[in-house]
Amino acid sequence: MKLTQKDKNPFVYSDSNKRFHTYDYYIKHKFGKKCAKIPLDCGFTCPNIDGTAGYGGCIYCSDRGSGDFAAESSLSVKEQIDKTRTVMEHKWKNCGLIPYFQAHTNTYAPLDVLKEKYEEALSYPDVAGLNIATRADALPDDVCEYLGEIAERTVLTVELGLQTVHDGTAKLINRCHTTEDFLKGYQKLRKASGKINICVHIINGLPYETYDMMIETAEFVARLEPEFVKIHSLHVLKGTPLEKMYIDGKFNILSLEEYVDITACQIERLPPETVVARVTGDGDKNALIAPTWSLKKTCVINEIDKELYKRDTYQGKLFCR
Ligand code: SF4
């Protein structure tokens, strides 16, 4: 009998042909059923937009602060969940829900405001967990303490945007906090509670970054051993400062082949236990200028699967503790 790619897969955290620890695998084994993330926009801002750390935001960020798929911020948390749930109802029968505070910096408000929003989400029926996207420089003590409290009640994941370990690039993209600041925030969360899952976001293809620099970012993240990593391809969106740089020919966009090569090399270096919740970006199709190959998300994921198989490698093969 001919062996399939699944039969030949040496990666332990997989029950398919996937050679990395996918989000689907995690959800299935953690919750025993499908769970859907529901993007939310609570009208927050960011320290690098409002002048606290800088102005203008990250140079690639959309108007909606990376919350392009959320319902309108004028709606309450409950109304946003209701609305998204109604649209997707045919897919979500008996599904667990994971409200995802996604747009802008979702710990960047007074504690009582955050409490009201998070508790409204937690009180919604069928909620299986909570995801909160933020920045490592926006984690004051009282918020960390409260996050630790939430982690006692539900499966809490706090998502931190690192994007790159290189401070020169961080400056160029107007991240407005250093990698040392990131580390401080990361460790603060860890200290607040061992039950808080941490997800680190990185971006491949940032202007002037070389292959080695992107690998260094992945190695830095690997050493932290976070519960989740999201790997994104850089998206050039209409109306952003990055669009102007791109039109002026200031940097090159990665080809699909380059992106697949780099991402496969990063996956090899990540701990096998870390869930790779994304291996490509998911931006607003109508605003995307480049790279157009990223519109075919399934194709990008398939190419990464093929590359890992072709190299006979898998997540963690090059990870050393
Ligand atoms: S911190 Fe996030 S939401 Fe804020 S400007 Fe940067 S990418 Fe956009």
Side-chain angles (χ1 to χ4, degrees):
M1 200 177 72
K2 202 173 167 227
L3 292 178
T4 63
Q5 285 192 20
K6 181 181 164 189
D7 299 328
K8 290 192 229 166
N9 188 356
F11 185 59
V12 285
Y13 299 105
S14 175
D15 39 27
S16 66
N17 66 330
K18 298 282 178 196
R19 288 172 174 240
F20 62 95
H21 199 147
T22 66
Y23 190 67
D24 281 352
Y25 180 91
Y26 159 76
I27 290 288
K28 188 172 147 193
H29 290 263
K30 176 81 185 171
F31 299 101
K33 62 175 180 179
K34 276 260 180 211
C35 289
K37 268 168 123 181
I38 304 187
L40 299 170
D41 183 346
C42 290
F44 298 129
T45 181
C46 300
N48 62 341
I49 291 179
D50 72 356
T52 301
Y55 291 99
C58 302
I59 61 170
Y60 47 76
C61 190
S62 69
D63 285 353
R64 295 209 59 196
S66 304
D68 301 298
F69 302 113
E72 308 86 87
S73 62
S74 54
L75 300 176
S76 71
V77 168
K78 183 185 171 298
E79 285 166 340
Q80 290 189 48
I81 301 176
D82 280 345
K83 191 170 175 184
T84 309
R85 198 177 195 182
T86 309
V87 175
M88 307 292 287
E89 207 150 43
H90 59 288
K91 266 172 83 181
W92 289 0
K93 294 250 169 347
N94 305 317
C95 207
L97 303 178
I98 303 180
Y100 177 23
F101 288 86
Q102 184 180 30
H104 292 105
T105 299
N106 292 279
T107 56
Y108 192 50
L111 184 61
D112 56 334
V113 174
L114 298 177
K115 275 191 175 172
E116 191 196 315
K117 306 285 183 196
Y118 299 167
E119 295 301 331
E120 194 178 343
L122 285 167
S123 66
Y124 199 93
D126 304 322
V127 162
L130 200 66
N131 277 41
I132 297 171
T134 189
R135 294 161 51 99
D137 65 340
L139 291 166
D141 293 348
D142 56 351
V143 173
C144 283
E145 196 183 319
Y146 174 51
L147 292 174
E149 215 182 277
I150 295 178
E152 294 295 323
R153 292 187 267 149
T154 193
V155 180
L156 173 68
T157 303
V158 177
E159 305 198 9
L160 300 177
L162 170 68
Q163 326 310 2
T164 175
V165 75
H166 302 285
D167 279 335
T169 312
K171 207 166 179 186
L172 176 85
I173 64 174
N174 202 36
R175 191 179 72 187
C176 293
H177 62 297
T178 63
T179 298
E180 202 184 319
D181 296 331
F182 172 88
L183 260 183
K184 274 188 202 148
Y186 186 97
Q187 280 152 1
K188 201 168 168 185
L189 262 187
R190 274 280 178 258
K191 271 196 202 124
S193 163
K195 288 190 176 172
I196 300 174
N197 295 322
I198 304 182
C199 176
V200 181
H201 289 236
I202 62 173
I203 298 180
N204 289 335
L206 289 168
Y208 317 124
E209 288 223 332
T210 61
Y211 167 92
D212 286 347
M213 290 169 84
M214 291 180 252
I215 296 299
E216 280 161 16
T217 293
E219 287 173 342
F220 171 86
V221 174
R223 285 193 292 278
L224 296 173
E225 300 189 43
E227 285 73 22
F228 298 87
V229 170
K230 284 186 178 175
I231 306 174
H232 305 262
S233 50
L234 178 69
H235 282 172
V236 180
L237 301 178
K238 281 180 198 154
T240 60
L242 189 69
E243 178 192 16
K244 182 158 177 7
M245 278 180 77
Y246 177 68
I247 290 170
D248 292 346
K250 295 266 172 64
F251 71 100
N252 294 322
I253 280 284
L254 293 177
S255 66
L256 173 60
E257 294 69 28
E258 288 169 325
Y259 183 78
V260 168
D261 176 27
I262 292 161
T263 306
C265 291
Q266 291 173 322
I267 288 172
E268 285 182 300
R269 286 160 171 81
L270 293 172
E273 296 79 14
T274 295
V275 178
V276 185
R278 251 183 200 293
V279 288
T280 183
D282 203 6
D284 177 1
K285 290 183 179 60
N286 300 319
L288 184 76
I289 291 173
T292 47
W293 53 256
S294 70
L295 290 170
K296 294 184 184 156
K297 198 174 145 192
T298 311
C299 168
V300 179
I301 297 169
N302 287 343
E303 290 302 315
I304 292 168
D305 290 340
K306 278 199 258 169
E307 187 65 23
L308 294 170
Y309 178 73
K310 197 173 85 190
R311 296 183 191 184
D312 192 20
T313 191
Y314 48 86
Q315 184 179 338
K317 193 171 182 187
L318 300 182
F319 171 68
C320 309
R321 268 199 175 90

